[in-house]
């Protein structure tokens, strides 16, 4: 059963993200991470509320401009955001851990199932929805073909490596291999 407080939190998070996010980031990254996370939480009997909130907020400070340490500042942001509600402190702490440990380019020790789910869902979204990666490198950064291919391939490899569940790798292996092949032909 979903309580009214939880519904309010999700509603307020969506209002926040709609203010600070462009449609592409919501459509091709945030919402897929949420969808994948919630599905995995159900499959693996994890805390669905923790996973859903962490999925929505995992990149919040990256969106606000903090690329390098967004996993750290995002965890603090989430804590401060959630303190305004009568939300369980243990769940807030777990949400912080999920956000702090979701990043693939830093060494993280993911201990809980929820942390592993958020990292995995974030990684899968890059493989399932690679359009933002191509837009970033070729649209925003105006990279040459080879440079963009090398950078996108590197990001996808890091994403692949942070997937914590073999069954999820099995589900997307064909798509991952295809993307890597296409990108290797353009280096």
């Amino acid at each position: 059963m979903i309580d009214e407080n939880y519904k309010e939190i999700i509603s307020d998070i969506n209002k926040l993200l709609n203010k600070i996010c462009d449609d592409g980031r919501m459509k091709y990254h945030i919402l897929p991470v949420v969808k994948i996370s919630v599905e995995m939480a159900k499959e693996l009997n994890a805390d669905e509320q923790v996973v859903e909130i962490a999925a929505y907020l995992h990149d919040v400070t990256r969106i606000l401009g903090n690329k390098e340490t967004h996993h750290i500042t995002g965890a603090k942001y989430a804590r401060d955001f959630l303190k305004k509600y009568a939300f369980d402190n243990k769940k807030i702490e777990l949400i912080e851990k999920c956000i702090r440990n979701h990043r693939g380019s830093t060494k993280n020790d993911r201990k809980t199932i929820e942390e592993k789910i958020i990292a995995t869902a974030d990684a899968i979204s890059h493989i399932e929805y690679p359009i933002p990666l191509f837009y970033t490198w070729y649209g925003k950064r105006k990279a040459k073909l080879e440079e963009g291919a090398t950078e996108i391939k590197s990001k996808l490899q890091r994403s692949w490596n942070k997937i914590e569940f073999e069954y999820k790798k099995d589900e997307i292996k064909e798509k991952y291999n295809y993307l890597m092949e296409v990108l290797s032909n353009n280096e």
Side-chain angles (χ1 to χ4, degrees), residues 28-116:
Y28 294 112
H29 187 62
I30 302 296
L31 294 178
V33 172
V34 171
K35 180 180 181 283
I36 295 163
S37 295
V38 170
E39 287 170 359
M40 289 181 68
K42 289 176 183 174
E43 292 169 358
L44 300 169
N45 200 29
D47 188 313
E48 290 178 44
Q49 289 183 349
V50 166
V51 165
E52 185 173 18
I53 292 170
Y56 271 118
L57 294 176
H58 79 282
D59 276 351
V60 68
T61 58
R62 182 183 184 109
I63 295 163
L64 292 169
N66 184 337
K67 180 182 176 192
E68 293 307 314
T69 60
H70 75 277
H71 55 298
I72 297 166
T73 58
K76 182 183 180 329
Y77 186 99
R79 180 185 63 234
D80 293 344
F81 182 90
L82 293 168
K83 289 282 184 184
K84 297 181 285 186
Y85 304 89
F87 197 64
D88 183 273
N89 281 329
K90 288 194 185 306
K91 288 188 180 204
I92 292 173
E93 288 174 15
L94 187 49
I95 290 165
E96 285 183 86
K97 287 180 185 178
C98 290
I99 294 170
R100 193 176 320 105
N101 292 321
H102 85 276
R103 194 145 183 223
S105 60
T106 58
K107 179 68 180 131
N108 297 305
D109 186 20
R110 300 176 192 103
K111 290 180 173 59
T112 68
I113 192 77
E114 291 83 5
E115 290 170 272
K116 292 175 182 181

Side-chain angles (χ1 to χ4, degrees), residues 11 13 19 31 33-34 36 63 128 132 144 160 165 171:
S11 174
I13 289 171
K19 277 186 201 173
L31 294 178
V33 172
V34 171
I36 295 163
I63 295 163
E128 289 285 342
K144 295 199 181 309
W160 180 259
F165 304 94
E171 288 176 8

